[in-house]
Amino acid sequence: MKEKETRENQELLTKTGKMAITYEQPEGMAGMDRVREAATQFGYRHQGKYTLEDYYLLPEDQRTELIDGVFYDMSAPYTTHQIASAEIWRQLAEYIREKGGSCRAMIAPVDVQLDCDDRTMVEPDVLVLCDKEKLNKRCIYGAPDFVIEVLSDSTARKDMTVKLWKYLGAGVREYWIVDLQQEKVIVHDRIGGDCRTSIYGMDQPVPVRIFEGKCLIRFEEICEEVRAVSG
């Protein structure tokens, strides 16, 4: 059966340029997002066993993240997601430029080899990188200083659990989870060493702690645009 399935998928890849996909729950992650079981030219691997070798073999139009050897599907984001990501990035970039800072604000798609190993490659929605030695032509090699994920239906559980612990454990100093539906921002930071969590409504400016709270991200216009599109 497995040989037949592999042969059929190889034929599909030859005809369409796309790899066949099956879904399964990774061991120990019951209740997580459905994940992508990708075929490679070497045949199938089990979830938890994939590496960057497999990641770079995926077709460009198959958007995935690799976390601890597990492939997670990334469906195309909603327009509201893109509106929020772009505006947050703009405010961060403008603040850094006005202050003459050495950090760089970046927006997806950009690969982040978070743990500097061959088992994890993530794609944050927005990030700030202050150590430019981590930036190379292919990806960011190591943890950014600041990461933002804008929640969507397909990624919410992953962003709030798996990626939360991956980011903080890898050395990300500040991680925001932006919830457009609830109009709130959950801020996790390790500034000063201890891990602290704060929740802000989008009716107030949210301070960026890596910039000592002097950079304030304002969400009023974002919320207005999202409501207009959603309505």
Side-chain angles (χ1 to χ4, degrees):
M1 175 67 77
K2 184 176 292 186
E3 292 180 357
K4 178 181 178 182
E5 186 179 81
T6 301
R7 185 172 62 255
E8 289 175 348
N9 282 297
Q10 289 174 340
E11 292 173 355
L12 179 63
L13 177 58
T14 301
K15 293 177 181 178
T16 67
K18 292 176 181 270
M19 295 180 181
I21 299 168
T22 61
Y23 292 100
E24 65 180 31
Q25 294 290 350
E27 184 177 355
M29 290 187 181
M32 292 288 93
D33 292 330
R34 291 165 63 182
V35 297
R36 176 167 295 182
E37 182 76 44
T40 74
Q41 65 181 21
F42 306 109
Y44 288 108
R45 298 187 198 271
H46 292 294
Q47 286 285 20
K49 301 295 185 180
Y50 290 104
T51 68
L52 292 184
E53 184 177 22
D54 303 298
Y55 179 83
Y56 287 124
L57 285 171
L58 292 172
E60 291 185 4
D61 62 348
Q62 274 191 303
R63 298 183 66 237
T64 65
E65 288 184 305
L66 178 67
I67 302 177
D68 292 331
V70 175
F71 275 123
Y72 290 83
D73 182 53
M74 296 178 66
S75 56
Y78 290 147
T79 55
T80 51
H81 179 285
Q82 297 303 84
I83 288 169
S85 297
E87 177 59 21
I88 294 168
W89 170 82
R90 184 192 66 79
Q91 293 187 42
L92 286 166
E94 286 186 356
Y95 175 85
I96 294 169
R97 183 169 55 251
E98 289 172 1
K99 299 299 180 182
S102 59
C103 300
R104 180 183 295 274
M106 304 180 74
I107 190 170
V110 58
D111 281 345
V112 176
Q113 197 170 343
L114 190 64
D115 295 326
C116 301
D117 63 11
D118 69 343
R119 301 183 69 244
T120 296
M121 186 74 85
V122 294
E123 189 179 288
D125 291 325
V126 183
L127 65 86
V128 173
L129 180 69
C130 296
D131 182 358
K132 293 186 179 179
E133 291 187 1
K134 295 181 179 180
L135 184 63
N136 60 51
K137 186 176 182 179
R138 171 170 275 185
C139 67
I140 292 172
Y141 188 74
D145 295 84
F146 178 59
V147 168
I148 292 176
E149 297 286 5
V150 180
L151 294 186
S152 60
D153 292 340
S154 62
T155 65
R157 290 176 180 171
K158 178 183 63 176
D159 291 342
M160 297 184 73
T161 54
V162 177
K163 293 181 83 171
L164 167 61
W165 299 116
K166 288 299 295 184
Y167 285 143
L168 296 182
V172 172
R173 294 193 287 153
E174 187 169 2
Y175 174 39
W176 288 16
I177 299 172
V178 176
D179 187 336
L180 296 175
Q181 291 186 1
Q182 300 296 322
E183 296 192 0
K184 65 182 181 181
V185 181
I186 305 170
V187 175
H188 302 278
D189 74 76
R190 303 191 70 170
I191 311 299
D194 296 330
C195 184
R196 181 172 66 175
T197 301
S198 306
I199 301 177
Y200 296 86
M202 291 185 179
D203 57 344
Q204 58 183 309
V206 182
V208 180
R209 293 205 70 209
I210 65 165
F211 296 137
E212 300 177 343
K214 296 177 181 178
C215 174
L216 299 173
I217 303 300
R218 302 182 184 280
F219 286 87
E220 293 93 336
E221 291 186 7
I222 295 175
C223 287
E224 289 179 6
E225 288 192 65
V226 168
R227 290 179 198 134
V229 172
S230 300

